[in-house]
Each structure stands twice: as C-alpha cells, then as structure tokens.
Amino acid sequence: KNMNKSRLSDQIAEQLESIIAEGGLEVGQRIPSERKLAERLNVSRPSLREAIQKLACKGLLESKQGGGTYIKQSMNNGLTDPLLDLLKERPEFRFDVLEVRHAIDGQAAYYAALRATDQDRQQIREAYEKMVALHQTGGDPLEEAKADAAFHLSITEASHNVVTLHVMRSLVSILHDSIKNNLDKLYTIPRVSEPLTNQHRNLMEAVIAGDPERARLAAQEHLVFVEESLQEIDKEQARHERFLRQASILSLDETEE
C-alpha cells in the first residue's frame, strides 16, 4: 500500500512540475492552497502533501510558516548562473546570444504562425501596441527594451513549445543584462527606431496571418538588423573612446606649459 502511495505522489509531483513549467510561473508566486489543488487534480490531500514535499526537496517549491506554498526556483532559469556571470562580464558574448536567438526566434515565429490561438493573436497584438506606444512617446529606453522583449516572448508563447519558451526567457534575461546600455542607445537612434517598428509590424502580421515562412524570415531579418546596429554602436563607442584618450593626452600637454 505504501508503495502505491509513493508512486502516486511521484505522479502528482510530475504533474505539478509540468503545470509549473507550462504555466510559466515565476519565482515567489504562490500556488493554490492544498485543498484547492487536491480538488483540481482530483487526488487526496495526504498524497498531494507528499508530492509538494518532494518538490520542496528538489528546491522547486517552498512552504512558508503561516501558510502558503511558493515557487522557489523558476523553471525559467534554464541557464546556470556561472554562464550568466560570464556573459555579464564579457559583453561581446551578446553576439553569441544573438546568433542563438536567430535560430530560436525564427523557429518560434514559424510555429507561432501555425499554432497561434485567437487568444495568442490578441496577446501578440496587445504586446505590439504597447511597444509601439512606448516608442512614440520616446520615454525610458529600458522600458522600450522590456516591451520589445515582451513582444518577442508573446510570439514564442504562441509557438506552444515549452522548451523553446524557457530557453528564450533565459536568453532574453541575458540579453537584457548584457545590452542594457546598448539597448538604451538602440532606441534613441532615429535611423534605427523606424526600421525596428516596421520589422516588428511585419513579424506580427506574418504570425497573425498564419504564414510560417514569412514569419520565420521576418524574425531573422529583424535580428540581423539588431546585430548590425549593435556592432555599429560598438564601433562608434570605440571611436569616441579613442578620441577622448587622444584629447586627454593633449590636455596634459597644455597644463604643463
């Protein structure tokens, strides 16, 4: 009997794990109460409690004193911290991240065009409109960058591939950290913001029209443009730093006169 019970709690634990994964729940979010969950999963509370304990041992859930079970470790942190630290210290690796995104975004857009539900299309459109509104007001470039990421993630969500979604979330958070200052610049350069908007619109229209090939191309063309723009920004920055270095060398000479 005990054997059956432990097998049952393993099954419940697995079920909970996939619900957490597919629900895209974030760290710190509270899951429903034991009573509600037991009802929804149609299982006994002792078996559910045992399953929750198993996930707590794995470090996924945490039951706090005074009630409530919370997500302790997100399924979205798919990439390990040492890699994140390395990417933060070496911003040039962001081009490696962009290369990976090139493949994943193209695939995600392709499958989103095939699989998006009406609700997905609605979310993609809302994310697009929010992003465009931020571009037009020309407010905080970082907010614009976040809205940009949310737009791309809404398309990835519409691809209905859990693995793609988790990998993309990890990559987007790395990109946010590694190109923070460059994203600021990217959104303040007039020659960049108009093509960006057109590319995003093309991508959205292709996904919503259910045209997978056009959607894949739109995603890839957009990323090529982002990559080239960031390389251009880097070159300008290097030129500017050279200029400052030379200017400071000259200014030392003046003070010594």
Side-chain angles (χ1 to χ4, degrees):
K1 190 180 178 223
N2 272 357
M3 181 74 177
N4 284 348
K5 192 179 170 201
S6 75
R7 257 209 299 268
L8 182 62
S9 64
D10 282 339
Q11 284 169 5
I12 298 169
E14 270 173 43
Q15 202 178 348
L16 274 177
E17 236 173 284
S18 37
I19 292 169
I20 292 168
E22 287 171 32
L25 296 178
E26 302 291 339
V27 172
Q29 259 181 294
R30 186 176 179 171
I31 65 169
S33 70
E34 260 180 33
R35 185 178 56 78
K36 273 194 185 144
L37 258 185
E39 274 171 27
R40 285 180 199 173
L41 298 174
N42 198 16
V43 295
S44 74
R45 282 176 72 172
S47 298
L48 174 68
R49 198 168 300 132
E50 208 173 305
I52 288 173
Q53 275 167 349
K54 285 180 177 168
L55 293 185
C57 291
K58 267 188 170 181
L60 271 176
L61 293 177
E62 165 180 42
S63 296
K64 294 191 177 169
Q65 268 189 330
T69 301
Y70 297 80
I71 311 280
K72 187 178 180 186
Q73 184 185 318
S74 168
M75 307 289 255
N76 308 337
N77 301 346
L79 296 170
T80 55
D81 289 341
L83 178 60
L84 281 173
D85 293 340
L86 188 64
L87 286 159
K88 283 174 194 169
E89 284 160 27
R90 303 276 298 277
E92 67 273 20
F93 285 152
R94 65 177 172 267
F95 292 109
D96 290 2
V97 175
L98 279 169
E99 273 177 28
V100 176
R101 266 197 63 188
H102 195 88
I104 295 176
D105 273 42
Q107 282 292 90
Y110 182 92
Y111 286 114
L114 287 176
R115 298 173 182 159
T117 62
D118 286 343
Q119 193 186 353
D120 290 332
R121 290 188 197 100
Q122 170 85 13
Q123 280 173 328
I124 291 168
R125 198 175 266 119
E126 280 170 12
Y128 172 79
E129 280 162 9
K130 185 182 175 186
M131 175 178 63
V132 169
L134 281 169
H135 288 340
Q136 283 165 352
T137 54
D140 176 2
L142 201 58
E143 284 306 309
E144 289 183 58
K146 281 183 180 163
D148 181 315
F151 167 69
H152 284 287
L153 283 171
S154 72
I155 290 174
T156 310
E157 279 170 11
S159 74
H160 295 280
N161 181 321
V162 173
V163 176
T164 305
L165 181 59
H166 290 315
V167 172
M168 265 296 284
R169 279 188 172 140
S170 301
L171 290 177
V172 164
S173 73
I174 290 172
L175 267 187
H176 263 154
D177 289 327
S178 68
I179 27 177
K180 232 167 223 166
N181 56 344
N182 273 5
L183 281 172
D184 288 4
K185 294 192 186 80
L186 198 60
Y187 285 106
T188 50
I189 301 171
R191 67 169 187 275
V192 169
S193 57
E194 195 181 330
L196 274 181
T197 301
N198 293 339
Q199 289 159 17
H200 285 140
R201 192 179 56 248
N202 282 342
L203 176 54
M204 174 189 68
E205 284 171 357
V207 170
I208 284 174
D211 187 334
E213 271 311 326
R214 197 180 123 211
R216 190 203 330 249
L217 271 174
Q220 290 176 337
E221 280 166 10
H222 166 61
L223 281 167
V224 167
F225 176 80
V226 169
E227 196 166 332
E228 286 171 355
S229 303
L230 289 176
Q231 280 169 338
E232 196 50 46
I233 288 171
D234 278 2
K235 274 186 212 149
E236 281 176 21
Q237 200 163 349
R239 271 199 297 273
H240 183 62
E241 280 166 10
R242 264 200 314 277
F243 167 77
L244 286 180
R245 261 201 310 279
Q246 287 159 349
S248 70
I249 290 166
L250 290 173
S251 70
L252 279 179
D253 291 345
E254 285 168 19
T255 56
E256 282 168 5
E257 276 179 19

